[in-house]
Amino acid sequence: MKAIRSKIKNRLKKFVELDVSGLRTHILSILLNVKQFTVDDLHEKINKQFDASRSVVASMVGYIHSKLGILRSHKESYKTPTTYSLKEEYVDLIQNAITAREKPST
């Protein structure tokens, strides 16, 4: 379990380091505040601050889900959209990554 957490921590750190516009950090902070969301829900929240297309948001969610591994996905049927939720065991890693991004390096 510790090896997985360590890998996720490193991937999350790199993910946040590559955040030029602040969109990635904003998405992670939204994920901390919502229990469940769909791509459309997240797109609505992001468009309040950023001009991002739905496909940009969908690809970011897909990347976070598959590469970072910090999201769960659930689909009721083929007609309903996929619902995502944050895995509770990684909340502290996300908070630390966001905090480290906001602090200037010394």
Side-chain angles (χ1 to χ4, degrees):
M1 181 69 178
K2 289 189 180 200
I4 293 172
R5 272 184 73 84
S6 176
K7 286 181 182 179
I8 290 175
K9 181 179 178 180
N10 290 335
R11 289 178 186 161
L12 194 57
K13 182 180 174 187
K14 288 177 188 174
F15 179 77
V16 172
E17 283 175 357
L18 295 173
D19 188 13
V20 178
S21 65
L23 179 62
R24 294 175 180 209
T25 307
H26 184 65
I27 288 174
L28 291 175
S29 64
I30 290 172
L31 297 182
L32 289 173
N33 295 324
V34 297
K35 292 285 184 194
Q36 291 184 342
F37 65 93
T38 63
V39 171
D40 291 329
D41 296 338
L42 192 59
H43 180 247
E44 281 182 29
K45 291 181 188 302
I46 289 171
N47 267 349
K48 292 177 183 173
Q49 276 192 334
F50 292 91
D51 184 28
S53 68
R54 186 188 181 286
S55 62
V56 167
V57 175
S59 68
M60 194 76 69
V61 169
Y63 182 86
I64 293 169
H65 178 257
S66 65
K67 299 292 184 194
L68 297 181
I70 59 174
L71 297 178
R72 285 189 180 90
S73 65
H74 179 72
K75 188 165 178 79
E76 287 290 328
S77 73
Y78 70 94
K79 292 182 180 181
T80 60
T82 303
T83 303
Y84 296 93
S85 61
L86 185 63
K87 293 179 181 177
E88 292 295 321
E89 59 265 27
Y90 302 123
V91 169
D92 61 325
L93 294 180
I94 296 169
Q95 289 171 336
N96 291 340
I98 292 172
T99 304
R101 166 91 166 115
E102 292 171 351
K103 286 183 188 175
S105 302
T106 51

